[in-house]
Every structure is written in C-alpha cells, then in structure tokens.
Amino acid sequence: MKAKAFDTRLFKRILHYTKPYQWRFNGVVVFAISLSVFSALRPYLLKQTVDSYIQTEDASGLLLYISLMGIVLLLEVFSQFYFVYWANWLGQDIVKDIRLKLFKHILSFRMKYFDLVPVGQLVTRSVSDIESIARIFSQGLFMIISDLMKMVVVLIFMFYMNWKLTWIVIVAMPILVYITRIFQRKMQVAFEEVRTQIANMNTFVQERVTGMKIVQLFNREDIELEKFKIINEKHQNAWIKTILYNSIFFPIADIISSLTLGCVVLYGGIKILNGDHFTTFGDLFSYTMFISLLFNPLRQIADKFNEMQLGMISANRVFEIIDTQDQIQDNGTIEAPVFNGNITFKDVRFSYIDNEEVIKGIDLQVKSGETIAIVGSTGAGKSTIINLLNRFYEIKSGTICIDNINIENYTLNSLRKQIAIVLQDVFLFADTIYNNITLNNPNISREDVYAAAKKIGVHEFIMSLPDNYDFDVKERGVMLSSGQRQLIAFLRAYVSNPSILILDEATSSIDTYSEELIQRATETITKGRTSIVIAHRLATIVNADKIVVMDKGLIVEEGSHQELINKESGYYKNLYDSQFSLAE
C-alpha cells in the first residue's frame, strides 16, 4: 500500500492513539484557537493606535493601546508556549504507545520472518520511522490547524477593516495555493524515496558493522566502501531533490507575498493621496502585518505538509509491520506442567520454502529421562527438529507430542518455559554475566545462580573475572572466549530448571580446557531429564542412550553407539570411522 498525503483511513488510525490523551488533544486545539485570535488582534490594535491616537496626537489613548498591545503579546506568547509544549508532549506519548505495540508485535513473530526481513530495516521502523510519526503532531497536524485558524481569523479582521483592500489579497491567494499544491505533490514522492534510502543505508551499515570481522578477514574493505559510496550517493540524491523543491518554492512564495503587499500599499496610497477616505494610514500599517500573518502560514503549510507526509509515510511502514500476521498461532489452552519428558514425532513434515521439504515424514520417540543424540551431515535436518519442538516454526503435517499431548495444545509461553536450549553460537547481551544468566528473571536469585555455578563447575571461572558475576561482557559477549560464552549458556540453561534440555552443537568449537568443563556441565545438567544432543563430534555422544542418524531430512539409523558401530557399511559407522581417521 502506497502512503498518501491525506490517506483518511491511515490518518484516522493514527488519531485513534490520541484517545487516552483526549484532554491534552483538546487543550492543544484551544491554545491553537487563542493563538490565532491574539496574533490577528495585534495588527488591528495597531490600526486603532495609528488612526485614533497617533494622528490625533492623543498621548493618553496612545499609552492605553500600547499597553493593550503588550498584554495581547504576552497572551500570544503564553498560548504559543503551551501550544508547542503540549503538541510535542502528545506526539511523544503517541510514539511511546506505538513503539511499545510494535516491539511487542515483533517479539511474537516466527523465526521465518526474521530469516526474510533485514535487521536494519526493523531497526529503522522501530526508531527513526516511529519518531517521524511524532512530528505529525508536533510539526504537522496541529501546526496546520493553527495556521488555518490564524488565516481565517486574519481574513475576518481584514474584511471587517477594509474589504476593498482585502480583495487584492484574495486574488493573489489562489496562485500561492496552486503552487503550494504542486510543491506538496513533488515532496510526497521525494520523501518516499528518502525513507527508502534511509532504510537501505541502515540495513547495509548494520550488516557490515555486525560482520566486520568477515569484511576485514577477506580484505573486503575497499569493495564494501565502494558499495557504501553508491548507497550514500543515492541517499544524498534523494535529500537533494527535497532541497531543490524547497529552494524553488519558498522564493516564489516570498515574491508573491511581496508583490501582493506592494499592490496593497500602491492602491491604498493612491486612494489616500486622492482624498478617498475608504482607507486610512492605519489600514496600510496593519495590512503590512496582516499580509505577513496570512501568507507566511500559507507558505509554511506546505512545509508542514512535508512533515505530515514524512510522518504518514513512516506510519504506513510501521503499520505494515503491525498488520503483518506472521506469528506462531498460540491457541493452546493447557498450561505445560513440569514435563515427564516423553517426546513423540509422528510423520512430521516441514519445509522452509514451499515444495522443498527439509523434514520428510520422520517418526521419532524419546523416552522420559533419556539422552538421545542426533547426528548427520550438514543440512540433514538436525537443528530443524529442535526448532519444531520449540514451535519456532510450524510443521507442514504430522504431530509432535510431549507426554502424549500435542504441543499445539500447550500455551506457547508455558511450553518454551519447560525447554532450554544451548546453541553453538551463544548470544550474550551487552550486560553483566549475572543478568545474562538469569535474563532478568526475578524468580532466580543470586544464591540459586551461585549454587548452580558451583554444581556444574563454572563458579571459579566467573569469580576469576573482574567484578565476578557483575562483569560486563559487552556487545555479544566479546569480552569472553567462545568456550567461556558456552559455559555461561550452560549455566543459563541449568538455572532455568527445564524439563527438556537441548544441546545444539554445544561443543563444536571450544578449547580443551573449556571442553573438560563443558563435559562436566553436560553430565550435570542432563542428569535426570530428557535431553537431546545434536553433535558434530561423535566422540562426545558415545554414551547417549540412543543415537539417531539423519540424512536429507530422513532418519536412516537408530540405536546405541555400540549397535550402530557394529553395522557393516552403516551410515554412522562410516561417519565415525571417518572422524576417527581424521583424528589419528
């Protein structure tokens, strides 16, 4: 859906967010009205001062009207302050609500959505696009309302004072309105391009900064710089187009305003010199202010429309994400208890891309308290199984049951609370070790963390760090080695006390010392609970109760290590012999 400058449906949707702040919304309108009245009252008082007291040399009356003008000016300043302050305040409250709704919605998306949508684009929508929505209220809507009311009140005063001079101004206004309309349409297209280029730049920069190690490792600096130059130039060109339109429009608007003022002064001056009393010197003085009050808002309305367009375009992009229905269906009604841990896959099929099945009708049974290992070549579907068990993705057909109940019947939150995963690529937040372990779960105390760390043998390692458990690991845990990050992940899984534990390639890239700690941690956290271990190094899973061998989305072998190793020309035996030969 393409954003429009006056998309009524979209605009009503934005206004819906003002309902909790209706009193402030109404207050802004009241101050906009009072501001327009006080602005138009000053030139009228100036006319009365010139005609009634300066020309008649009435000093006392002059002092009175000067005092009145001062009071009106103070009221105008007061109205201006509260108008601007409350309009911006309202805009920020609305942004806060929309941003919260957007982030909550993003948290519910399936993993497939994040596979397809660039992170930089989501960041742009959540930060800069939403901030532009605030400008609809702070710089757009209310400013336009205020300017329109100011123009209406000014015209009423002008017609009341001198309708003949006012018609000269009225004749010039359609020309400015027509030019403003053309300018507004051009700016709508220009701002659409600006937002697109901002999103492209954010996506590019975010990906390159995140993958800087790869960029430098493969000497891609010059290549990426050239790519960035192209994106940066497109971004610049989009903004230059908006600058060009502004540079053309505002001088033309100033010329029209100046010519109109000249015509009023010329016509009124000639009439006064010829003794025609339909106008006065006070009229001419006041009209120099009235024309400015009338034409400046009209000219600025175009600029405010730009802000409205920018905000509407941004709102359209944000609402596209909010309207995206890509969530895992959480229709379950059963609160998952502490599982016994019996897991059953029955004729399960799944594909990331339509008509390209990754899991091809597998049957798998895991008994309570059993540790099974899943092995196979890259792309066999090992990690996909745990993604389906956690309902990160929806299966195409078949059923997955835990304790004889379809996992779709459990509430999503309670299901995932009973399953813990330790991944090969551990993600740590830029926070303390303690917060990365507990993930700010208030139900996990420091004593629980200390006890768990001692039990799996990582307490000494943490205590050796500066600030111990309050050590800041920085972004993605860069202050720790891969083995240390892995140990933190094990402790994170252990303190959550899951019914089912999944280790996904958790020991594939660690040093010997860390491997010893992790082997000890593995033995501790898998004891007494159902565990699924996805392993690349077969030496680490020889003691598993059952080993499941996968190839091309199918289970091709099952059994204990000894049973599988005794199969002549078996898939597992060939895989094990190959690894053993490489180790030798």
Side-chain angles (χ1 to χ4, degrees):
M1 181 182 66
K2 185 178 178 181
K4 302 175 183 178
F6 291 101
D7 187 331
T8 306
R9 183 196 62 80
L10 180 62
F11 190 64
K12 285 181 178 179
R13 185 172 182 180
I14 296 169
L15 286 180
H16 176 75
Y17 287 90
T18 66
K19 286 188 176 181
Y21 315 102
Q22 194 64 48
W23 66 272
R24 203 181 310 144
F25 183 93
N26 295 335
V28 173
V29 174
V30 168
F31 282 119
I33 294 171
S34 61
L35 182 61
S36 62
V37 172
F38 294 136
S39 296
L41 193 57
R42 283 192 296 113
Y44 178 75
L45 291 176
L46 176 62
K47 166 192 163 54
Q48 297 299 322
T49 302
V50 172
D51 289 343
S52 301
Y53 301 106
I54 293 179
Q55 284 188 313
T56 61
E57 300 180 357
D58 184 346
S60 61
L62 176 63
L63 182 61
L64 173 63
Y65 265 74
I66 292 297
S67 299
L68 284 174
M69 290 175 67
I71 293 171
V72 170
L73 179 61
L74 288 174
L75 292 173
E76 184 181 352
V77 169
F78 176 82
S79 300
Q80 179 79 21
F81 170 77
Y82 277 100
F83 171 73
V84 172
Y85 180 70
W86 281 20
N88 279 272
W89 184 10
L90 178 64
Q92 289 303 316
D93 276 334
I94 290 168
V95 160
K96 177 195 68 178
D97 293 344
I98 295 177
R99 184 180 284 122
L100 184 63
K101 184 173 183 178
L102 175 65
F103 190 70
K104 182 180 179 181
H105 194 66
I106 290 174
L107 288 174
S108 69
F109 282 152
R110 294 182 292 175
M111 289 298 109
K112 185 177 181 180
Y113 181 85
F114 301 103
D115 295 338
L116 301 175
V117 178
V119 174
Q121 181 175 315
L122 289 176
V123 172
T124 301
R125 300 292 178 267
S126 303
V127 182
S128 59
D129 276 337
I130 285 190
E131 201 58 44
S132 293
I133 296 175
R135 297 179 70 84
I136 292 177
F137 298 93
S138 62
Q139 301 295 326
L141 173 64
F142 291 122
M143 291 295 181
I144 292 173
I145 291 174
S146 175
D147 287 343
L148 288 174
M149 282 196 275
K150 189 181 295 184
M151 291 167 62
V152 170
V153 174
V154 165
L155 282 173
I156 291 172
F157 271 93
M158 290 173 70
F159 271 110
Y160 173 74
M161 286 167 48
N162 194 316
W163 64 271
K164 290 184 179 179
L165 288 180
T166 303
W167 275 111
I168 298 176
V169 180
I170 294 296
V171 169
M173 285 184 68
I175 301 173
L176 188 55
V177 170
Y178 177 71
I179 294 172
T180 301
R181 181 58 180 161
I182 294 175
F183 171 69
Q184 180 260 325
R185 287 175 177 172
K186 294 291 184 182
M187 291 299 286
Q188 177 185 351
V189 177
F191 274 130
E192 184 80 54
E193 178 65 17
V194 165
R195 299 312 303 169
T196 299
Q197 294 307 323
I198 288 175
N200 291 342
M201 179 174 287
N202 284 347
T203 300
F204 183 89
V205 172
Q206 190 274 334
E207 287 182 345
R208 270 57 184 184
V209 171
T210 303
M212 187 57 68
K213 185 181 292 185
I214 299 299
V215 171
Q216 295 182 354
L217 183 63
F218 288 92
N219 298 315
R220 297 273 303 179
E221 293 93 336
D222 292 340
I223 296 173
E224 297 301 332
L225 180 60
E226 290 303 316
K227 287 183 178 179
F228 182 74
K229 284 180 180 178
I230 295 172
I231 293 174
N232 195 33
E233 187 174 351
K234 288 181 178 179
H235 177 264
Q236 179 194 33
N237 290 339
W239 274 111
I240 286 177
K241 191 176 290 186
T242 67
I243 294 169
L244 175 63
Y245 293 148
N246 277 293
S247 301
I248 293 173
F249 171 74
F250 288 107
I252 292 176
D254 285 338
I255 290 172
I256 294 173
S257 177
S258 299
L259 288 175
T260 304
L261 177 58
C263 290
V264 168
V265 173
L266 178 63
Y267 179 73
I270 290 173
K271 290 296 183 181
I272 291 174
L273 292 176
N274 290 336
D276 194 329
H277 296 295
F278 91 93
T279 189
T280 65
F281 283 110
D283 288 340
L284 296 184
F285 271 103
S286 61
Y287 266 67
T288 58
M289 295 180 66
F290 274 133
I291 290 174
S292 178
L293 288 172
L294 188 64
F295 278 58
N296 281 346
L298 185 60
R299 187 188 70 173
Q300 290 169 5
I301 280 176
D303 195 36
K304 301 303 181 290
F305 270 124
N306 295 343
E307 297 291 347
M308 283 280 288
Q309 286 168 350
L310 193 59
M312 295 284 277
I313 290 168
S314 297
N316 186 62
R317 294 171 186 263
V318 170
F319 288 141
E320 278 181 356
I321 297 178
I322 291 177
D323 292 338
T324 300
Q325 298 302 316
D326 204 8
Q327 298 93 346
I328 293 290
Q329 295 303 309
D330 188 10
N331 299 322
T333 56
I334 301 173
E335 286 291 324
V338 175
F339 290 136
N340 292 324
N342 293 298
I343 304 171
T344 305
F345 283 69
K346 186 175 181 180
D347 194 25
V348 173
R349 295 178 179 273
F350 171 76
S351 58
Y352 292 103
I353 303 173
D354 292 342
N355 303 319
E356 294 184 21
E357 282 191 341
V358 178
I359 301 297
K360 303 174 181 178
I362 67 168
D363 293 302
L364 175 64
Q365 186 156 4
V366 184
K367 296 178 181 178
S368 175
E370 192 175 48
T371 296
I372 74 159
I374 303 177
V375 300
S377 60
T378 301
K382 306 185 297 296
S383 295
T384 300
I385 286 180
I386 64 171
N387 286 333
L388 298 179
L389 184 62
N390 280 276
R391 295 195 67 202
F392 291 142
Y393 298 87
E394 297 281 24
I395 60 176
K396 181 179 178 182
S397 63
T399 57
I400 302 174
C401 296
I402 298 178
D403 295 344
N404 299 318
I405 297 177
N406 193 318
I407 60 172
E408 294 181 2
N409 294 331
Y410 292 116
T411 62
L412 199 58
N413 185 53
S414 65
L415 171 69
R416 291 177 178 172
K417 190 179 290 185
Q418 293 300 320
I419 302 173
I421 304 178
V422 179
L423 299 171
Q424 175 187 0
D425 184 18
V426 178
F427 184 90
L428 298 181
F429 294 95
D431 205 336
T432 64
I433 285 181
Y434 176 77
N435 287 337
N436 270 289
I437 293 169
T438 64
L439 297 177
N440 296 304
N441 185 342
N443 297 321
I444 301 175
S445 67
R446 277 189 176 265
E447 289 70 26
D448 294 334
V449 173
Y450 295 160
K454 290 173 182 177
K455 197 167 185 178
I456 67 175
V458 299
H459 181 69
E460 291 183 6
F461 139 64
I462 296 175
M463 293 301 292
S464 68
L465 297 170
D467 299 322
N468 312 135
Y469 284 84
D470 293 317
F471 177 67
D472 190 343
V473 300
K474 305 300 181 184
E475 187 174 1
R476 300 183 67 87
V478 294
M479 301 302 291
L480 302 177
S481 69
S482 59
Q484 290 171 332
R485 290 196 295 270
Q486 202 69 263
L487 289 168
I488 298 301
F490 269 80
L491 185 52
R492 175 195 287 169
Y494 188 51
V495 297
S496 67
N497 194 27
S499 302
I500 298 170
L501 178 69
I502 298 171
L503 307 180
D504 186 4
E505 303 278 12
T507 61
S508 62
S509 57
I510 54 176
D511 55 79
T512 305
Y513 173 72
S514 296
E515 182 174 4
E516 293 175 359
L517 289 176
I518 287 175
Q519 287 292 359
R520 175 182 169 184
T522 302
E523 293 172 6
T524 302
I525 67 177
T526 57
K527 188 175 181 179
R529 56 168 55 91
T530 303
S531 303
I532 300 174
V533 181
I534 296 174
H536 175 70
R537 297 162 65 180
L538 303 186
T540 62
I541 47 94
V542 294
N543 295 322
D545 296 311
K546 180 168 65 174
I547 297 173
V548 176
V549 186
M550 294 192 66
D551 183 42
K552 298 178 181 177
L554 295 169
I555 295 176
V556 294
E557 289 180 350
E558 282 187 64
S560 68
H561 170 73
Q562 200 59 47
E563 290 171 347
L564 295 176
I565 208 73
N566 289 332
K567 282 188 177 182
E568 288 297 328
S569 301
Y571 192 104
Y572 179 81
K573 177 177 173 56
N574 291 336
L575 199 61
Y576 186 83
D577 289 344
S578 175
Q579 283 196 14
F580 183 77
S581 297
L582 288 173
E584 287 291 318

